[in-house]
Amino acid sequence: MKRTGLSLMLIIAFGAGRSHAQQTNNKLKLWYEEPAVEWSQALPLGNGRVGAMVFGGTSEELIQLNEATLWSGGPVSKQVNPAAASYLPAVRAALFSEKYHEADSLLRKMQGAYSQSFLPLGDIRIHQQLKDTMISQYKRDLDIANAKSITQFVSGGVTYTREMFISAPDQVIVIRLRASKKGALQFKADPSSQLHYQNTVIGTKEIVTRGKAPSQVDPSYVNYNAEPIQYEAAGSCKGMRYELRMRAISPDGTVTTDATGITVKNATEAILLLTAATSFNGFDKCPDSEGLDEKAIAGGQMKKAAALSYANLLQRHVQDYHKYFNRVSLNLAGDDQSAEPTDERLRRYTAGGKDQALESLYFQFGRYLLISCSRTPSAPANLQGIWNKELRAPWSSNYTININTQMNYWPAEVCNLMEMQQPLYQLLKELSVTGAATAGEFYNTRGWVAHHNTDIWAIANPVGDKGKGDPQWANWMMGGNWLCQFLWQHYCYTGGEKFLRDTAYPIMKSAALFSLDFLVKDPASGYLVTAPATSPENKFLLANGTQESVSIASTMDMTIIRELFNNVIKAGEVLKVDNGLRDSLQVAADRLYPFKIGKDGSLQEWYKDWPSGETEHRHISHLYALFPGDQISPSTTPELANATKRTLEIRGDGGTGWSKAWKINTWARLEDGNHAYKLLRELLTLTGKGSVDMHNAGGTYANLFCAHPPFQIDGNFGGTSGIAQMLLNGQSNMIRLLPALPDAWATGEVKGLLAYGGHTIDMSWKAGKLVRVTIYAKKAGTCYLLAKNRLKAGANAQLAPMKPKDPSAGYPYALKTTAGGVYTLLAAE
């Protein structure tokens, strides 16, 4: 990371000596010896709805705030582009005549509005009066074991401490400030916002910031409008209200408040409480006339929190957080550099140093982030989780559903955080409503469709401002179908027929109806194909040297539809419904354009064996069947698996941060742990680069956020998922134990991972071989396991060896289970 002048001054001021002896419990902590001077060095806190970035300043602390439902805009329009569907026959005619450029031009006429933007809530600045400008013994940390941040330093012989957490049970931000000398704490805390706002004083101890969000915010890449941010008057049905409250409580200091902030003097301790709310009342409600009462919500939360002591608030917060975080542990034997600050650890690691404890910290950091940013109905984790400081965030910080939103939730089930997917299910319900209107208006089909972008208003149309977007990303219509994978997957983990019947099946069925209507017979091959089709966000190279992006039957399209049809068929069989539809889906599934292997041995990305317009493109969309799908695997489809491996070799290991994370998962599915580990090390390359780079600049910032660059949280979640996939592949009928264990993790232990069927798996291994496996069974039946070394049953287990289909893959076993049973297996050698 490049040091700024201010950063160098801070290093000098804080002294060169490190208190390593004090670092006794840092395995689940991020910690630093200087304040953040950039946003990507600040530390994230969140309760699943409210987020904060803590900079850890001394004389001036900056805390940047977000609220998950604070977005621009309002409900989507009833009619977006009424003429759109009329262009579809001409698009298809051009494609079947191989006039790809003409099809591209026509397809632009089948676009609608851009999505809206996730917005920053505001900033809290704490101006602390210090008698001495010299600072010593500085430390700030983020304890992800307890979801709490502490900043501590010494000035003028006084130790100052700021502790901060954000409580989910009490929906409040809590900041406790203390001084080691009586009466030495003096500060002013003032709120502000980049949005329109006004501060109002409530008594002597509380200030309220109230304002309104913009009605329209153009994406950051749109630069042709004179006013990219627009506000409208009340009653426009766009532009929600918001409120931020702050109250100070001090047992011994004096507290005064004016419109600029709250001042605390002559205190030894003070507590700041902050609550926030918006008028968002659902994707289809005007946030103005039909909005929630944000004043009552934030005020009620404040009243409740203020009646509790700090100790009680902290206890309730930690108890709630531990309920989720403590389910999974990972310990990798090897080097542990936790006595070093986190940025120094990353720097050492980037230079080739070993630090298995950093790798396990990164895994748990992803779980921490998911708990911290995905607990709000209708507002799942967006491109930046809930942490965004920009009015016009990169890519609107929206839900990009051609990979990024999906990647956010890859670790949820396997890492034992299935509750964090609830907001995604709610958004899917809403998309199935707006997407039904889009399907009818844009394609004249039944069912529902969603394209590559959506937002809190569940926009479903192809974005692009009616012709200004590039079809290579704007006109891809498989986003909704892909998201349906999470619905069926959740059923496979839980076996919950009520969820399948009431939530999953209606949404999946409707998505399948769209695809059934949208598919068309290819005159040349006779197969059913999608037309138009793209492979996000790539282009293909024609023989004449031109690049195009629109064709038919992209591999990703065919794979997702095949998966959706098969899942709807299986769901219908479970529920014993829709026999006729199941027959129609099976007939269509059998006629889908198949996988093809190109002349270079790779899996074809498009209908024809065209070269990629960009050989090392960051997306590997056509490998969907390998991961996150399971239509291709080394054991069941070795020829296709080899083709995916060849594809990855040609694509290379470069790319953005999230692209590397995606590749970790695919190499893990190919059971090449050492290659997956190589990419993990590259993902954990320290970077300070903040500008957009779509190719080879991915890495990790000092605060462990993943760099696209700039920051995108999907890289963190993809990295956590990749580590889990290396240890457990539970997404098929066969639970693979340590399928892609790298040499660097020869000895270790993991507890609490989930496999299909809801079985919880604990494993320990030594010298690369399983030593002990414990299965906590969710349901009665037979659990199929595959291990790299022979196992034997503990006293309570009925374990039967099976004949391996592929002896080189390992040793398969069938384990009889009862609901609630606990079974231990041991190494047989």
Side-chain angles (χ1 to χ4, degrees), residues 277-437:
T278 75
S279 63
F280 176 74
N281 193 24
F283 76 107
D284 57 351
K285 300 289 194 303
C286 291
D288 190 346
S289 59
E290 300 174 283
L292 295 176
D293 186 344
E294 73 284 359
K295 296 178 183 179
I297 296 170
Q301 292 166 349
M302 180 63 75
K303 183 178 180 180
K304 176 185 173 185
L308 300 174
S309 68
Y310 176 84
N312 199 350
L313 287 166
L314 179 59
Q315 179 188 25
R316 289 162 58 85
H317 158 69
V318 171
Q319 185 178 14
D320 171 80
Y321 176 74
H322 282 179
K323 181 172 60 177
Y324 304 108
F325 185 79
N326 288 357
R327 293 172 180 171
V328 174
S329 64
L330 173 63
N331 293 292
L332 301 172
D335 291 289
D336 179 356
Q337 305 296 331
S338 57
E340 295 282 332
T342 304
D343 51 349
E344 292 300 326
R345 292 175 74 181
L346 269 173
R347 189 171 288 108
R348 181 198 296 264
Y349 190 86
T350 300
K354 295 181 180 179
D355 192 344
Q356 280 83 358
L358 177 64
E359 293 158 359
S360 60
L361 173 66
Y362 186 77
F363 168 80
Q364 291 286 34
F365 183 62
R367 296 183 66 248
Y368 163 82
L369 292 175
L370 191 58
I371 299 168
S372 302
C373 74
S374 185
R375 298 176 68 177
T376 304
S378 303
N382 61 51
L383 271 177
Q384 294 179 293
I386 49 170
W387 298 281
N388 162 52
K389 67 182 175 67
E390 306 289 347
L391 268 179
R392 297 177 71 195
W395 299 282
S396 303
S397 197
N398 63 17
Y399 304 115
T400 304
I401 57 175
N402 67 7
I403 173 62
N404 310 101
T405 300
Q406 288 89 340
M407 187 179 284
N408 284 359
Y409 290 95
W410 284 352
E413 305 270 19
V414 67
C415 292
N416 218 331
L417 294 173
M418 63 174 60
E419 295 91 340
M420 305 309 144
Q421 278 190 178
Q422 292 297 329
L424 185 64
Y425 305 149
Q426 181 63 31
L427 180 62
L428 265 167
K429 287 182 181 179
E430 295 161 1
L431 275 171
S432 69
V433 176
T434 57

Side-chain angles (χ1 to χ4, degrees), residues 619-631:
H619 285 254
I620 48 173
S621 304
H622 50 314
L623 303 192
Y624 180 99
L626 176 67
F627 185 89
D630 61 3
Q631 295 172 48

